[in-house]
Amino acid sequence: MNKSLLMFAVAALTITAASFAAEDESVWDKLRAGGQVVLMRHAQTTPGVGDPAGFRIDDCATQRNLSPQGREQARLLGEALKARGVRVGEVLTSRWCRAAETAQLAFGRGEIWPPLGSTFDDAASRAKRVEAVRKRIESFRGPDNLFLIGHGTNIHTLTGVHPSMGGMVIVTPGGPGGFRVLGHLEPETVLLTGSGRAR
């Protein structure tokens, strides 16, 4: 690559990085102001996809649960959001233990709401659950932010975004589809900006 092309590439990357940073800061401003809905995927789990065969929703020991790193991640995410001045209102969570534990570790609370349950192996109920979540978002009006803690498949079906474990998709209620996607925060970004340094 010649010098001119190299300089152009560096400039383009710098502009792109600055653009993403500006977009992230806009999202943080909205979260500090309140009135948004945060679709948060549960924190990091033990290795695996879905749940073990024969798992029971009333028995955490049979499910894929948070790893020790995931428990620490959830706790740090809650601290980072608080440090950023994010207004946390109602916290609703899937019945799955990894989501409910994420809510407790991050926010110290979380009310079970069945429509947030995993649809990874349950395509038959996916549309019904997603529509219930869509309606809840569309009708939300509040001074704080509504946190909905669930699963990647559900969030992707609803928004087209598939966040990493611990990631968040922020949506603004209203509009033709019931909401619009405001932004997407990966856990590494939240922890970095929440503390001022990588953690």
Side-chain angles (χ1 to χ4, degrees), residues 109-149:
R109 55 195 167 89
E111 179 185 347
I112 299 295
W113 189 44
L116 292 174
S118 175
T119 61
F120 181 78
D121 288 321
D122 190 8
S125 70
R126 186 171 299 154
K128 183 178 180 180
R129 290 186 185 184
V130 167
E131 185 57 27
V133 174
R134 183 189 301 279
K135 287 181 178 178
R136 183 70 180 246
I137 294 171
E138 184 177 20
S139 64
F140 175 70
R141 300 290 184 276
D144 299 319
N145 300 298
L146 169 63
F147 277 74
L148 304 178
I149 303 179

PDB file of all heavy atoms in Angstrom, residues 109-149:
ATOM      1  N   ARG A 109     -32.776  -6.925  41.568  1.00  0.00           N
ATOM      2  CA  ARG A 109     -34.202  -7.233  41.463  1.00  0.00           C
ATOM      3  C   ARG A 109     -34.536  -7.670  40.050  1.00  0.00           C
ATOM      4  O   ARG A 109     -33.736  -7.496  39.134  1.00  0.00           O
ATOM      5  CB  ARG A 109     -35.055  -6.017  41.831  1.00  0.00           C
ATOM      6  CG  ARG A 109     -34.720  -4.777  41.011  1.00  0.00           C
ATOM      7  CD  ARG A 109     -35.313  -3.525  41.634  1.00  0.00           C
ATOM      8  NE  ARG A 109     -34.766  -2.310  41.045  1.00  0.00           N
ATOM      9  CZ  ARG A 109     -35.252  -1.699  39.987  1.00  0.00           C
ATOM     10  NH1 ARG A 109     -36.335  -2.197  39.378  1.00  0.00           N
ATOM     11  NH2 ARG A 109     -34.703  -0.593  39.527  1.00  0.00           N
ATOM     12  N   GLY A 110     -35.733  -8.193  39.895  1.00  0.00           N
ATOM     13  CA  GLY A 110     -36.206  -8.613  38.582  1.00  0.00           C
ATOM     14  C   GLY A 110     -37.488  -9.407  38.721  1.00  0.00           C
ATOM     15  O   GLY A 110     -37.541 -10.382  39.472  1.00  0.00           O
ATOM     16  N   GLU A 111     -38.512  -8.971  38.024  1.00  0.00           N
ATOM     17  CA  GLU A 111     -39.807  -9.651  38.059  1.00  0.00           C
ATOM     18  C   GLU A 111     -39.928 -10.585  36.848  1.00  0.00           C
ATOM     19  O   GLU A 111     -39.676 -10.176  35.715  1.00  0.00           O
ATOM     20  CB  GLU A 111     -40.943  -8.622  38.030  1.00  0.00           C
ATOM     21  CG  GLU A 111     -42.329  -9.236  38.036  1.00  0.00           C
ATOM     22  CD  GLU A 111     -43.425  -8.192  37.892  1.00  0.00           C
ATOM     23  OE1 GLU A 111     -43.128  -6.985  38.035  1.00  0.00           O
ATOM     24  OE2 GLU A 111     -44.577  -8.589  37.605  1.00  0.00           O
ATOM     25  N   ILE A 112     -40.301 -11.821  37.113  1.00  0.00           N
ATOM     26  CA  ILE A 112     -40.450 -12.794  36.033  1.00  0.00           C
ATOM     27  C   ILE A 112     -41.620 -12.393  35.130  1.00  0.00           C
ATOM     28  O   ILE A 112     -42.719 -12.104  35.610  1.00  0.00           O
ATOM     29  CB  ILE A 112     -40.709 -14.206  36.595  1.00  0.00           C
ATOM     30  CG1 ILE A 112     -39.520 -14.660  37.463  1.00  0.00           C
ATOM     31  CG2 ILE A 112     -40.962 -15.203  35.467  1.00  0.00           C
ATOM     32  CD1 ILE A 112     -38.235 -14.833  36.711  1.00  0.00           C
ATOM     33  N   TRP A 113     -41.373 -12.394  33.817  1.00  0.00           N
ATOM     34  CA  TRP A 113     -42.419 -12.127  32.829  1.00  0.00           C
ATOM     35  C   TRP A 113     -42.302 -13.191  31.739  1.00  0.00           C
ATOM     36  O   TRP A 113     -41.356 -13.177  30.942  1.00  0.00           O
ATOM     37  CB  TRP A 113     -42.260 -10.726  32.249  1.00  0.00           C
ATOM     38  CG  TRP A 113     -43.423 -10.307  31.390  1.00  0.00           C
ATOM     39  CD1 TRP A 113     -44.739 -10.479  31.650  1.00  0.00           C
ATOM     40  CD2 TRP A 113     -43.354  -9.645  30.113  1.00  0.00           C
ATOM     41  NE1 TRP A 113     -45.509  -9.970  30.626  1.00  0.00           N
ATOM     42  CE2 TRP A 113     -44.690  -9.453  29.675  1.00  0.00           C
ATOM     43  CE3 TRP A 113     -42.300  -9.200  29.314  1.00  0.00           C
ATOM     44  CZ2 TRP A 113     -44.990  -8.840  28.464  1.00  0.00           C
ATOM     45  CZ3 TRP A 113     -42.592  -8.571  28.116  1.00  0.00           C
ATOM     46  CH2 TRP A 113     -43.928  -8.400  27.696  1.00  0.00           C
ATOM     47  N   PRO A 114     -43.247 -14.146  31.692  1.00  0.00           N
ATOM     48  CA  PRO A 114     -43.145 -15.306  30.794  1.00  0.00           C
ATOM     49  C   PRO A 114     -42.848 -15.016  29.326  1.00  0.00           C
ATOM     50  O   PRO A 114     -42.123 -15.791  28.694  1.00  0.00           O
ATOM     51  CB  PRO A 114     -44.494 -16.006  30.983  1.00  0.00           C
ATOM     52  CG  PRO A 114     -44.857 -15.692  32.400  1.00  0.00           C
ATOM     53  CD  PRO A 114     -44.409 -14.265  32.598  1.00  0.00           C
ATOM     54  N   PRO A 115     -43.380 -13.943  28.712  1.00  0.00           N
ATOM     55  CA  PRO A 115     -43.069 -13.714  27.288  1.00  0.00           C
ATOM     56  C   PRO A 115     -41.578 -13.554  26.976  1.00  0.00           C
ATOM     57  O   PRO A 115     -41.170 -13.683  25.819  1.00  0.00           O
ATOM     58  CB  PRO A 115     -43.838 -12.424  26.967  1.00  0.00           C
ATOM     59  CG  PRO A 115     -45.005 -12.464  27.889  1.00  0.00           C
ATOM     60  CD  PRO A 115     -44.440 -13.011  29.165  1.00  0.00           C
ATOM     61  N   LEU A 116     -40.757 -13.298  27.996  1.00  0.00           N
ATOM     62  CA  LEU A 116     -39.322 -13.152  27.770  1.00  0.00           C
ATOM     63  C   LEU A 116     -38.589 -14.493  27.754  1.00  0.00           C
ATOM     64  O   LEU A 116     -37.384 -14.540  27.526  1.00  0.00           O
ATOM     65  CB  LEU A 116     -38.701 -12.251  28.855  1.00  0.00           C
ATOM     66  CG  LEU A 116     -39.122 -10.777  28.828  1.00  0.00           C
ATOM     67  CD1 LEU A 116     -38.555 -10.052  30.043  1.00  0.00           C
ATOM     68  CD2 LEU A 116     -38.665 -10.096  27.537  1.00  0.00           C
ATOM     69  N   GLY A 117     -39.319 -15.591  27.984  1.00  0.00           N
ATOM     70  CA  GLY A 117     -38.702 -16.912  28.008  1.00  0.00           C
ATOM     71  C   GLY A 117     -38.044 -17.287  26.689  1.00  0.00           C
ATOM     72  O   GLY A 117     -38.448 -16.840  25.618  1.00  0.00           O
ATOM     73  N   SER A 118     -37.031 -18.139  26.776  1.00  0.00           N
ATOM     74  CA  SER A 118     -36.268 -18.540  25.596  1.00  0.00           C
ATOM     75  C   SER A 118     -37.143 -19.239  24.560  1.00  0.00           C
ATOM     76  O   SER A 118     -37.956 -20.104  24.893  1.00  0.00           O
ATOM     77  CB  SER A 118     -35.135 -19.484  26.006  1.00  0.00           C
ATOM     78  OG  SER A 118     -34.454 -19.962  24.869  1.00  0.00           O
ATOM     79  N   THR A 119     -36.946 -18.861  23.297  1.00  0.00           N
ATOM     80  CA  THR A 119     -37.653 -19.529  22.192  1.00  0.00           C
ATOM     81  C   THR A 119     -36.668 -20.298  21.315  1.00  0.00           C
ATOM     82  O   THR A 119     -36.983 -20.650  20.182  1.00  0.00           O
ATOM     83  CB  THR A 119     -38.407 -18.490  21.323  1.00  0.00           C
ATOM     84  OG1 THR A 119     -37.457 -17.563  20.770  1.00  0.00           O
ATOM     85  CG2 THR A 119     -39.442 -17.740  22.135  1.00  0.00           C
ATOM     86  N   PHE A 120     -35.461 -20.573  21.845  1.00  0.00           N
ATOM     87  CA  PHE A 120     -34.426 -21.246  21.062  1.00  0.00           C
ATOM     88  C   PHE A 120     -34.920 -22.580  20.515  1.00  0.00           C
ATOM     89  O   PHE A 120     -34.700 -22.907  19.346  1.00  0.00           O
ATOM     90  CB  PHE A 120     -33.176 -21.462  21.931  1.00  0.00           C
ATOM     91  CG  PHE A 120     -32.052 -22.132  21.201  1.00  0.00           C
ATOM     92  CD1 PHE A 120     -31.252 -21.415  20.319  1.00  0.00           C
ATOM     93  CD2 PHE A 120     -31.790 -23.483  21.378  1.00  0.00           C
ATOM     94  CE1 PHE A 120     -30.213 -22.024  19.632  1.00  0.00           C
ATOM     95  CE2 PHE A 120     -30.751 -24.101  20.699  1.00  0.00           C
ATOM     96  CZ  PHE A 120     -29.964 -23.373  19.823  1.00  0.00           C
ATOM     97  N   ASP A 121     -35.588 -23.376  21.348  1.00  0.00           N
ATOM     98  CA  ASP A 121     -36.110 -24.674  20.927  1.00  0.00           C
ATOM     99  C   ASP A 121     -37.639 -24.668  20.855  1.00  0.00           C
ATOM    100  O   ASP A 121     -38.272 -25.716  20.967  1.00  0.00           O
ATOM    101  CB  ASP A 121     -35.655 -25.780  21.893  1.00  0.00           C
ATOM    102  CG  ASP A 121     -34.177 -26.093  21.747  1.00  0.00           C
ATOM    103  OD1 ASP A 121     -33.689 -26.098  20.599  1.00  0.00           O
ATOM    104  OD2 ASP A 121     -33.510 -26.320  22.774  1.00  0.00           O
ATOM    105  N   ASP A 122     -38.221 -23.485  20.700  1.00  0.00           N
ATOM    106  CA  ASP A 122     -39.677 -23.382  20.758  1.00  0.00           C
ATOM    107  C   ASP A 122     -40.176 -22.397  19.700  1.00  0.00           C
ATOM    108  O   ASP A 122     -40.768 -21.368  20.002  1.00  0.00           O
ATOM    109  CB  ASP A 122     -40.107 -22.927  22.158  1.00  0.00           C
ATOM    110  CG  ASP A 122     -41.610 -23.030  22.370  1.00  0.00           C
ATOM    111  OD1 ASP A 122     -42.305 -23.586  21.496  1.00  0.00           O
ATOM    112  OD2 ASP A 122     -42.095 -22.550  23.415  1.00  0.00           O
ATOM    113  N   ALA A 123     -39.927 -22.745  18.444  1.00  0.00           N
ATOM    114  CA  ALA A 123     -40.326 -21.866  17.344  1.00  0.00           C
ATOM    115  C   ALA A 123     -41.837 -21.662  17.302  1.00  0.00           C
ATOM    116  O   ALA A 123     -42.316 -20.623  16.846  1.00  0.00           O
ATOM    117  CB  ALA A 123     -39.843 -22.440  16.017  1.00  0.00           C
ATOM    118  N   ALA A 124     -42.592 -22.655  17.785  1.00  0.00           N
ATOM    119  CA  ALA A 124     -44.059 -22.577  17.729  1.00  0.00           C
ATOM    120  C   ALA A 124     -44.591 -21.384  18.530  1.00  0.00           C
ATOM    121  O   ALA A 124     -45.580 -20.759  18.141  1.00  0.00           O
ATOM    122  CB  ALA A 124     -44.667 -23.871  18.246  1.00  0.00           C
ATOM    123  N   SER A 125     -43.943 -21.057  19.653  1.00  0.00           N
ATOM    124  CA  SER A 125     -44.448 -19.959  20.493  1.00  0.00           C
ATOM    125  C   SER A 125     -43.701 -18.650  20.245  1.00  0.00           C
ATOM    126  O   SER A 125     -44.014 -17.631  20.862  1.00  0.00           O
ATOM    127  CB  SER A 125     -44.323 -20.331  21.973  1.00  0.00           C
ATOM    128  OG  SER A 125     -42.962 -20.349  22.369  1.00  0.00           O
ATOM    129  N   ARG A 126     -42.720 -18.689  19.346  1.00  0.00           N
ATOM    130  CA  ARG A 126     -41.844 -17.524  19.164  1.00  0.00           C
ATOM    131  C   ARG A 126     -42.623 -16.278  18.750  1.00  0.00           C
ATOM    132  O   ARG A 126     -42.463 -15.210  19.339  1.00  0.00           O
ATOM    133  CB  ARG A 126     -40.765 -17.838  18.146  1.00  0.00           C
ATOM    134  CG  ARG A 126     -39.717 -16.743  17.991  1.00  0.00           C
ATOM    135  CD  ARG A 126     -38.570 -17.225  17.117  1.00  0.00           C
ATOM    136  NE  ARG A 126     -37.908 -18.369  17.720  1.00  0.00           N
ATOM    137  CZ  ARG A 126     -37.245 -19.304  17.051  1.00  0.00           C
ATOM    138  NH1 ARG A 126     -37.161 -19.214  15.726  1.00  0.00           N
ATOM    139  NH2 ARG A 126     -36.662 -20.308  17.675  1.00  0.00           N
ATOM    140  N   ALA A 127     -43.464 -16.398  17.727  1.00  0.00           N
ATOM    141  CA  ALA A 127     -44.197 -15.236  17.226  1.00  0.00           C
ATOM    142  C   ALA A 127     -45.104 -14.640  18.299  1.00  0.00           C
ATOM    143  O   ALA A 127     -45.192 -13.410  18.440  1.00  0.00           O
ATOM    144  CB  ALA A 127     -45.019 -15.622  15.995  1.00  0.00           C
ATOM    145  N   LYS A 128     -45.742 -15.505  19.070  1.00  0.00           N
ATOM    146  CA  LYS A 128     -46.657 -15.031  20.115  1.00  0.00           C
ATOM    147  C   LYS A 128     -45.895 -14.274  21.199  1.00  0.00           C
ATOM    148  O   LYS A 128     -46.317 -13.200  21.642  1.00  0.00           O
ATOM    149  CB  LYS A 128     -47.399 -16.210  20.725  1.00  0.00           C
ATOM    150  CG  LYS A 128     -48.425 -15.836  21.781  1.00  0.00           C
ATOM    151  CD  LYS A 128     -49.157 -17.068  22.296  1.00  0.00           C
ATOM    152  CE  LYS A 128     -50.190 -16.701  23.359  1.00  0.00           C
ATOM    153  NZ  LYS A 128     -50.900 -17.908  23.867  1.00  0.00           N
ATOM    154  N   ARG A 129     -44.769 -14.816  21.607  1.00  0.00           N
ATOM    155  CA  ARG A 129     -43.992 -14.168  22.659  1.00  0.00           C
ATOM    156  C   ARG A 129     -43.395 -12.847  22.172  1.00  0.00           C
ATOM    157  O   ARG A 129     -43.404 -11.845  22.883  1.00  0.00           O
ATOM    158  CB  ARG A 129     -42.879 -15.094  23.146  1.00  0.00           C
ATOM    159  CG  ARG A 129     -43.381 -16.284  23.938  1.00  0.00           C
ATOM    160  CD  ARG A 129     -42.239 -17.092  24.519  1.00  0.00           C
ATOM    161  NE  ARG A 129     -42.726 -18.286  25.179  1.00  0.00           N
ATOM    162  CZ  ARG A 129     -41.956 -19.136  25.839  1.00  0.00           C
ATOM    163  NH1 ARG A 129     -40.652 -18.917  25.919  1.00  0.00           N
ATOM    164  NH2 ARG A 129     -42.468 -20.204  26.422  1.00  0.00           N
ATOM    165  N   VAL A 130     -42.864 -12.873  20.973  1.00  0.00           N
ATOM    166  CA  VAL A 130     -42.259 -11.661  20.419  1.00  0.00           C
ATOM    167  C   VAL A 130     -43.304 -10.561  20.282  1.00  0.00           C
ATOM    168  O   VAL A 130     -43.028  -9.393  20.561  1.00  0.00           O
ATOM    169  CB  VAL A 130     -41.582 -11.962  19.069  1.00  0.00           C
ATOM    170  CG1 VAL A 130     -41.241 -10.674  18.329  1.00  0.00           C
ATOM    171  CG2 VAL A 130     -40.316 -12.787  19.289  1.00  0.00           C
ATOM    172  N   GLU A 131     -44.505 -10.920  19.865  1.00  0.00           N
ATOM    173  CA  GLU A 131     -45.566  -9.917  19.719  1.00  0.00           C
ATOM    174  C   GLU A 131     -45.951  -9.335  21.071  1.00  0.00           C
ATOM    175  O   GLU A 131     -46.223  -8.126  21.183  1.00  0.00           O
ATOM    176  CB  GLU A 131     -46.786 -10.537  19.043  1.00  0.00           C
ATOM    177  CG  GLU A 131     -47.911  -9.550  18.739  1.00  0.00           C
ATOM    178  CD  GLU A 131     -47.470  -8.373  17.870  1.00  0.00           C
ATOM    179  OE1 GLU A 131     -46.496  -8.513  17.086  1.00  0.00           O
ATOM    180  OE2 GLU A 131     -48.098  -7.298  17.969  1.00  0.00           O
ATOM    181  N   ALA A 132     -45.963 -10.164  22.118  1.00  0.00           N
ATOM    182  CA  ALA A 132     -46.272  -9.664  23.463  1.00  0.00           C
ATOM    183  C   ALA A 132     -45.215  -8.660  23.918  1.00  0.00           C
ATOM    184  O   ALA A 132     -45.534  -7.625  24.509  1.00  0.00           O
ATOM    185  CB  ALA A 132     -46.353 -10.827  24.445  1.00  0.00           C
ATOM    186  N   VAL A 133     -43.957  -8.950  23.620  1.00  0.00           N
ATOM    187  CA  VAL A 133     -42.876  -8.034  23.987  1.00  0.00           C
ATOM    188  C   VAL A 133     -42.983  -6.750  23.177  1.00  0.00           C
ATOM    189  O   VAL A 133     -42.819  -5.644  23.710  1.00  0.00           O
ATOM    190  CB  VAL A 133     -41.497  -8.691  23.773  1.00  0.00           C
ATOM    191  CG1 VAL A 133     -40.376  -7.685  24.018  1.00  0.00           C
ATOM    192  CG2 VAL A 133     -41.335  -9.910  24.681  1.00  0.00           C
ATOM    193  N   ARG A 134     -43.296  -6.886  21.895  1.00  0.00           N
ATOM    194  CA  ARG A 134     -43.459  -5.694  21.050  1.00  0.00           C
ATOM    195  C   ARG A 134     -44.545  -4.767  21.606  1.00  0.00           C
ATOM    196  O   ARG A 134     -44.369  -3.541  21.671  1.00  0.00           O
ATOM    197  CB  ARG A 134     -43.812  -6.105  19.620  1.00  0.00           C
ATOM    198  CG  ARG A 134     -43.922  -4.921  18.653  1.00  0.00           C
ATOM    199  CD  ARG A 134     -44.484  -5.358  17.309  1.00  0.00           C
ATOM    200  NE  ARG A 134     -43.650  -6.380  16.694  1.00  0.00           N
ATOM    201  CZ  ARG A 134     -42.533  -6.128  16.007  1.00  0.00           C
ATOM    202  NH1 ARG A 134     -42.129  -4.885  15.852  1.00  0.00           N
ATOM    203  NH2 ARG A 134     -41.844  -7.107  15.476  1.00  0.00           N
ATOM    204  N   LYS A 135     -45.656  -5.335  22.009  1.00  0.00           N
ATOM    205  CA  LYS A 135     -46.760  -4.527  22.538  1.00  0.00           C
ATOM    206  C   LYS A 135     -46.365  -3.853  23.843  1.00  0.00           C
ATOM    207  O   LYS A 135     -46.751  -2.708  24.116  1.00  0.00           O
ATOM    208  CB  LYS A 135     -48.000  -5.401  22.727  1.00  0.00           C
ATOM    209  CG  LYS A 135     -48.668  -5.799  21.421  1.00  0.00           C
ATOM    210  CD  LYS A 135     -49.909  -6.645  21.667  1.00  0.00           C
ATOM    211  CE  LYS A 135     -50.600  -6.997  20.345  1.00  0.00           C
ATOM    212  NZ  LYS A 135     -51.800  -7.858  20.569  1.00  0.00           N
ATOM    213  N   ARG A 136     -45.592  -4.583  24.656  1.00  0.00           N
ATOM    214  CA  ARG A 136     -45.150  -4.003  25.934  1.00  0.00           C
ATOM    215  C   ARG A 136     -44.240  -2.800  25.674  1.00  0.00           C
ATOM    216  O   ARG A 136     -44.341  -1.767  26.336  1.00  0.00           O
ATOM    217  CB  ARG A 136     -44.408  -5.064  26.752  1.00  0.00           C
ATOM    218  CG  ARG A 136     -43.952  -4.613  28.152  1.00  0.00           C
ATOM    219  CD  ARG A 136     -45.161  -4.443  29.065  1.00  0.00           C
ATOM    220  NE  ARG A 136     -44.799  -4.021  30.395  1.00  0.00           N
ATOM    221  CZ  ARG A 136     -44.952  -4.755  31.491  1.00  0.00           C
ATOM    222  NH1 ARG A 136     -45.450  -5.969  31.406  1.00  0.00           N
ATOM    223  NH2 ARG A 136     -44.636  -4.284  32.677  1.00  0.00           N
ATOM    224  N   ILE A 137     -43.361  -2.942  24.704  1.00  0.00           N
ATOM    225  CA  ILE A 137     -42.462  -1.832  24.355  1.00  0.00           C
ATOM    226  C   ILE A 137     -43.262  -0.651  23.809  1.00  0.00           C
ATOM    227  O   ILE A 137     -43.062   0.500  24.209  1.00  0.00           O
ATOM    228  CB  ILE A 137     -41.425  -2.292  23.314  1.00  0.00           C
ATOM    229  CG1 ILE A 137     -40.481  -3.339  23.909  1.00  0.00           C
ATOM    230  CG2 ILE A 137     -40.625  -1.092  22.789  1.00  0.00           C
ATOM    231  CD1 ILE A 137     -39.579  -3.991  22.886  1.00  0.00           C
ATOM    232  N   GLU A 138     -44.175  -0.940  22.898  1.00  0.00           N
ATOM    233  CA  GLU A 138     -44.956   0.112  22.243  1.00  0.00           C
ATOM    234  C   GLU A 138     -45.749   0.939  23.255  1.00  0.00           C
ATOM    235  O   GLU A 138     -45.888   2.156  23.106  1.00  0.00           O
ATOM    236  CB  GLU A 138     -45.912  -0.516  21.230  1.00  0.00           C
ATOM    237  CG  GLU A 138     -46.711   0.491  20.422  1.00  0.00           C
ATOM    238  CD  GLU A 138     -47.592  -0.191  19.386  1.00  0.00           C
ATOM    239  OE1 GLU A 138     -47.870  -1.393  19.538  1.00  0.00           O
ATOM    240  OE2 GLU A 138     -47.972   0.485  18.418  1.00  0.00           O
ATOM    241  N   SER A 139     -46.246   0.273  24.308  1.00  0.00           N
ATOM    242  CA  SER A 139     -47.087   0.967  25.279  1.00  0.00           C
ATOM    243  C   SER A 139     -46.295   1.617  26.411  1.00  0.00           C
ATOM    244  O   SER A 139     -46.865   2.323  27.243  1.00  0.00           O
ATOM    245  CB  SER A 139     -48.103  -0.016  25.885  1.00  0.00           C
ATOM    246  OG  SER A 139     -47.435  -1.035  26.629  1.00  0.00           O
ATOM    247  N   PHE A 140     -44.982   1.373  26.432  1.00  0.00           N
ATOM    248  CA  PHE A 140     -44.192   1.885  27.554  1.00  0.00           C
ATOM    249  C   PHE A 140     -44.058   3.401  27.505  1.00  0.00           C
ATOM    250  O   PHE A 140     -43.682   3.978  26.493  1.00  0.00           O
ATOM    251  CB  PHE A 140     -42.795   1.263  27.568  1.00  0.00           C
ATOM    252  CG  PHE A 140     -41.899   1.842  28.632  1.00  0.00           C
ATOM    253  CD1 PHE A 140     -42.134   1.585  29.972  1.00  0.00           C
ATOM    254  CD2 PHE A 140     -40.840   2.675  28.288  1.00  0.00           C
ATOM    255  CE1 PHE A 140     -41.317   2.128  30.958  1.00  0.00           C
ATOM    256  CE2 PHE A 140     -40.009   3.224  29.265  1.00  0.00           C
ATOM    257  CZ  PHE A 140     -40.257   2.940  30.599  1.00  0.00           C
ATOM    258  N   ARG A 141     -44.354   4.003  28.629  1.00  0.00           N
ATOM    259  CA  ARG A 141     -44.122   5.435  28.826  1.00  0.00           C
ATOM    260  C   ARG A 141     -43.652   5.589  30.267  1.00  0.00           C
ATOM    261  O   ARG A 141     -44.347   5.192  31.198  1.00  0.00           O
ATOM    262  CB  ARG A 141     -45.402   6.259  28.605  1.00  0.00           C
ATOM    263  CG  ARG A 141     -46.002   6.132  27.218  1.00  0.00           C
ATOM    264  CD  ARG A 141     -45.128   6.806  26.153  1.00  0.00           C
ATOM    265  NE  ARG A 141     -45.747   6.764  24.850  1.00  0.00           N
ATOM    266  CZ  ARG A 141     -45.676   5.732  23.999  1.00  0.00           C
ATOM    267  NH1 ARG A 141     -45.012   4.631  24.354  1.00  0.00           N
ATOM    268  NH2 ARG A 141     -46.262   5.777  22.830  1.00  0.00           N
ATOM    269  N   GLY A 142     -42.493   6.137  30.445  1.00  0.00           N
ATOM    270  CA  GLY A 142     -42.034   6.271  31.823  1.00  0.00           C
ATOM    271  C   GLY A 142     -40.856   7.201  31.940  1.00  0.00           C
ATOM    272  O   GLY A 142     -40.098   7.383  30.983  1.00  0.00           O
ATOM    273  N   PRO A 143     -40.675   7.747  33.133  1.00  0.00           N
ATOM    274  CA  PRO A 143     -39.535   8.638  33.337  1.00  0.00           C
ATOM    275  C   PRO A 143     -38.209   7.878  33.371  1.00  0.00           C
ATOM    276  O   PRO A 143     -37.167   8.434  33.062  1.00  0.00           O
ATOM    277  CB  PRO A 143     -39.835   9.297  34.691  1.00  0.00           C
ATOM    278  CG  PRO A 143     -40.669   8.279  35.412  1.00  0.00           C
ATOM    279  CD  PRO A 143     -41.504   7.627  34.351  1.00  0.00           C
ATOM    280  N   ASP A 144     -38.258   6.585  33.745  1.00  0.00           N
ATOM    281  CA  ASP A 144     -37.055   5.761  33.800  1.00  0.00           C
ATOM    282  C   ASP A 144     -36.989   4.872  32.563  1.00  0.00           C
ATOM    283  O   ASP A 144     -37.800   4.999  31.651  1.00  0.00           O
ATOM    284  CB  ASP A 144     -37.052   4.909  35.074  1.00  0.00           C
ATOM    285  CG  ASP A 144     -37.058   5.767  36.338  1.00  0.00           C
ATOM    286  OD1 ASP A 144     -36.346   6.797  36.355  1.00  0.00           O
ATOM    287  OD2 ASP A 144     -37.769   5.414  37.292  1.00  0.00           O
ATOM    288  N   ASN A 145     -36.024   3.958  32.538  1.00  0.00           N
ATOM    289  CA  ASN A 145     -35.908   3.005  31.436  1.00  0.00           C
ATOM    290  C   ASN A 145     -36.418   1.635  31.873  1.00  0.00           C
ATOM    291  O   ASN A 145     -36.185   1.207  33.009  1.00  0.00           O
ATOM    292  CB  ASN A 145     -34.443   2.877  30.994  1.00  0.00           C
ATOM    293  CG  ASN A 145     -33.861   4.198  30.529  1.00  0.00           C
ATOM    294  OD1 ASN A 145     -34.315   4.782  29.563  1.00  0.00           O
ATOM    295  ND2 ASN A 145     -32.845   4.680  31.237  1.00  0.00           N
ATOM    296  N   LEU A 146     -37.101   0.968  30.973  1.00  0.00           N
ATOM    297  CA  LEU A 146     -37.602  -0.388  31.215  1.00  0.00           C
ATOM    298  C   LEU A 146     -36.541  -1.382  30.739  1.00  0.00           C
ATOM    299  O   LEU A 146     -36.105  -1.329  29.586  1.00  0.00           O
ATOM    300  CB  LEU A 146     -38.908  -0.602  30.453  1.00  0.00           C
ATOM    301  CG  LEU A 146     -39.451  -2.034  30.385  1.00  0.00           C
ATOM    302  CD1 LEU A 146     -39.804  -2.553  31.780  1.00  0.00           C
ATOM    303  CD2 LEU A 146     -40.667  -2.089  29.458  1.00  0.00           C
ATOM    304  N   PHE A 147     -36.125  -2.283  31.616  1.00  0.00           N
ATOM    305  CA  PHE A 147     -35.139  -3.307  31.259  1.00  0.00           C
ATOM    306  C   PHE A 147     -35.843  -4.650  31.106  1.00  0.00           C
ATOM    307  O   PHE A 147     -36.560  -5.101  32.016  1.00  0.00           O
ATOM    308  CB  PHE A 147     -34.052  -3.411  32.329  1.00  0.00           C
ATOM    309  CG  PHE A 147     -32.968  -2.390  32.178  1.00  0.00           C
ATOM    310  CD1 PHE A 147     -33.199  -1.059  32.523  1.00  0.00           C
ATOM    311  CD2 PHE A 147     -31.716  -2.724  31.677  1.00  0.00           C
ATOM    312  CE1 PHE A 147     -32.204  -0.097  32.373  1.00  0.00           C
ATOM    313  CE2 PHE A 147     -30.711  -1.779  31.520  1.00  0.00           C
ATOM    314  CZ  PHE A 147     -30.960  -0.457  31.868  1.00  0.00           C
ATOM    315  N   LEU A 148     -35.646  -5.272  29.944  1.00  0.00           N
ATOM    316  CA  LEU A 148     -36.208  -6.589  29.642  1.00  0.00           C
ATOM    317  C   LEU A 148     -35.036  -7.545  29.443  1.00  0.00           C
ATOM    318  O   LEU A 148     -34.307  -7.430  28.457  1.00  0.00           O
ATOM    319  CB  LEU A 148     -37.081  -6.534  28.388  1.00  0.00           C
ATOM    320  CG  LEU A 148     -38.231  -5.516  28.395  1.00  0.00           C
ATOM    321  CD1 LEU A 148     -38.974  -5.555  27.050  1.00  0.00           C
ATOM    322  CD2 LEU A 148     -39.190  -5.774  29.545  1.00  0.00           C
ATOM    323  N   ILE A 149     -34.853  -8.482  30.357  1.00  0.00           N
ATOM    324  CA  ILE A 149     -33.682  -9.353  30.327  1.00  0.00           C
ATOM    325  C   ILE A 149     -34.082 -10.740  29.845  1.00  0.00           C
ATOM    326  O   ILE A 149     -34.917 -11.412  30.460  1.00  0.00           O
ATOM    327  CB  ILE A 149     -33.017  -9.423  31.708  1.00  0.00           C
ATOM    328  CG1 ILE A 149     -32.650  -8.007  32.161  1.00  0.00           C
ATOM    329  CG2 ILE A 149     -31.774 -10.313  31.657  1.00  0.00           C
ATOM    330  CD1 ILE A 149     -32.019  -7.922  33.510  1.00  0.00           C
TER     331      ILE A 149
END
